[in-house]
Amino acid sequence: MYLDEFGKRDRFWIDQAKEKTLVIDGVEQYQNIENCLSVNLVKHNANNEHTEDYNDNEKEREIEKRLVDSKTGTVFLVEMRNAIKKEHAISVQILAMCIREHVPSLTESRALYKEFDFDQDDEDTLGGNTPTFLAPMISIFLPEIVQEMQRTLEIAYEAAGWVALTIKDELLHTEPRQAQPSPKDVGIRTSEHLTYKDFPSLGSHNDGASCYTTRGINN
């Protein structure tokens, strides 16, 4: 159903990955990003050879809590520990650094009041964030992390009981754009490495247009 409606999940980047080409803003960036990522991963590993504890990589994912909507009784958030391996979190941070270095147009300081089309935010109550946009580069250069996050989503999906919503929509023949999809049927709409260095906080807002939002916190 979803394949017929939306096409393959990798349709936006698979050709670039196969051909090892990535033209952004008129500039070929594939080798730049690949080399930057490789060099800095080697450098990080060398600098932290005796201090990095990669035992964290073997820890199983653990469901910490489920938050339930008081009106519908449906789980709307699943909190999970060890959702991503430590070495993978480091790889994502380095990829974001490489993107900022070679493709600065893919990072911005995003004030929330501008996203709401407000004229101003005099008291800075809405705050904002500073995203570096990773898609589709995270799929091209770090596919193992995309697979890992896919599995994390699947575990959250099962823990939340959302599979029942998918089955219900299948039985009712709900239109794909209105239905609750299974994780196996969704791709990455956007992927962002977020920092908050330019703002004191981030106000309440709604992330629309996504079936699921997966957020990892590095501490």
Side-chain angles (χ1 to χ4, degrees):
M1 176 173 68
Y2 291 97
L3 182 62
D4 294 337
E5 180 74 14
F6 303 112
K8 293 183 178 180
R9 295 190 304 178
D10 61 6
R11 65 192 182 281
F12 294 116
W13 56 267
I14 191 62
D15 290 338
Q16 287 88 345
K18 288 179 178 178
E19 301 298 328
K20 294 190 175 182
T21 181
L22 187 65
V23 178
I24 303 175
D25 298 333
V27 179
E28 174 58 65
Q29 295 286 5
Y30 189 98
Q31 289 298 327
N32 291 336
I33 300 296
E34 185 179 53
N35 291 340
C36 177
L37 185 59
S38 176
V39 167
N40 283 284
L41 281 172
V42 169
K43 186 185 299 183
H44 173 85
N45 291 337
N47 291 340
N48 297 275
E49 183 178 2
H50 302 295
T51 60
E52 205 75 83
D53 181 11
Y54 284 112
N55 288 327
D56 285 350
N57 292 328
E58 307 304 322
K59 291 182 178 179
E60 294 291 328
R61 297 174 179 87
E62 300 176 18
I63 302 298
E64 290 281 290
K65 65 177 68 171
R66 301 168 180 83
L67 298 185
V68 178
D69 188 314
S70 60
K71 294 182 179 179
T72 65
T74 304
V75 174
F76 66 89
L77 183 145
V78 176
E79 184 178 318
M80 188 182 305
R81 185 179 293 275
N82 306 319
I84 184 172
K85 294 178 181 178
K86 186 174 184 178
E87 64 177 303
H88 285 173
I90 292 168
S91 296
V92 170
Q93 291 174 325
I94 292 175
L95 175 62
M97 180 194 72
C98 292
I99 292 172
R100 288 191 291 269
E101 177 181 342
H102 293 284
V103 197
S105 63
L106 293 183
T107 189
E108 64 175 325
S109 183
R110 184 168 58 186
L112 195 56
Y113 81 89
K114 292 182 179 179
E115 298 297 309
F116 288 160
D117 291 326
F118 294 164
D119 292 333
Q120 58 186 0
D121 183 15
D122 292 334
E123 298 181 1
D124 204 16
T125 55
L126 293 175
N129 54 30
T130 305
T132 298
F133 298 97
L134 305 180
M137 282 172 277
I138 192 168
S139 295
I140 294 172
F141 296 105
L142 300 173
E144 67 280 4
I145 296 178
V146 174
Q147 293 171 5
E148 180 182 38
M149 295 312 298
Q150 181 76 22
R151 180 54 185 151
T152 293
L153 173 57
E154 290 169 357
I155 293 172
Y157 172 80
E158 294 165 4
W162 294 330
V163 62
L165 301 178
T166 300
I167 293 173
K168 176 183 176 182
D169 284 331
E170 289 175 350
L171 293 173
L172 295 176
H173 302 290
T174 304
E175 289 293 325
R177 294 180 184 276
Q178 304 298 323
Q180 182 82 35
S182 166
K184 67 181 177 60
D185 293 317
V186 299
I188 297 177
R189 185 182 69 85
T190 184
S191 178
E192 304 173 7
H193 178 268
L194 297 173
T195 67
Y196 301 88
K197 59 186 180 64
D198 294 339
F199 302 93
S201 63
L202 178 64
S204 177
H205 65 287
N206 178 45
D207 289 329
S210 294
C211 300
Y212 303 101
T213 298
T214 303
R215 172 164 295 184
I217 299 176
N218 295 323
N219 52 31

